[in-house]
Amino acid sequence: MASIRDLLFGERERASQRVAALEREFGDLAEAASAPGTDDEHDPEGATLAFERQRAAALLEQARAHIASVDAALRRLDEGNFGRCERCGRPIGEDRLAARPTATTCLTCAPRR
Ligand SMILES: [Zn+2]
């Protein structure tokens, strides 16, 4: 079985690739949007581009936030605090950590959506 550290490094690797891909996509969209004759407000294509850009920016932000949470988990691992709920201090639980190694709270304390 892979260790938590391996799991986290794998997560980080995937998230970094996602960030790189999204940055490329975002760059392409920005270029397309600045092409002559593209008008964000009146050109239907411009509106689509603006929407796509917002979408790419949101995904990029998510992917970067994920990397940050993976880094935070690795730090907790180094400090010996990994696997402890940051709210109640009880163990988060191996099943939950295996499914979501970046979790910082136990199921009871996890924010409900
Ligand atoms: Zn808790």
Side-chain angles (χ1 to χ4, degrees), residues 85-90 105-110:
C85 174
E86 67 177 13
R87 288 230 196 136
C88 68
R90 284 198 287 263
T105 57
C106 69
L107 263 182
T108 316
C109 298

Side-chain angles (χ1 to χ4, degrees), residues 14-61:
R14 277 195 299 278
S16 303
Q17 282 167 6
R18 200 153 66 231
V19 166
L22 284 164
E23 275 172 348
R24 263 198 310 278
E25 190 186 331
F26 192 72
D28 289 347
L29 288 167
E31 207 172 300
S34 64
T38 313
D39 181 334
D40 266 19
E41 275 171 49
H42 305 292
D43 185 335
E45 196 169 331
T48 308
L49 276 173
F51 175 80
E52 289 291 323
R53 242 157 75 203
Q54 264 171 20
R55 195 186 124 270
L59 289 174
L60 197 53
E61 201 172 307

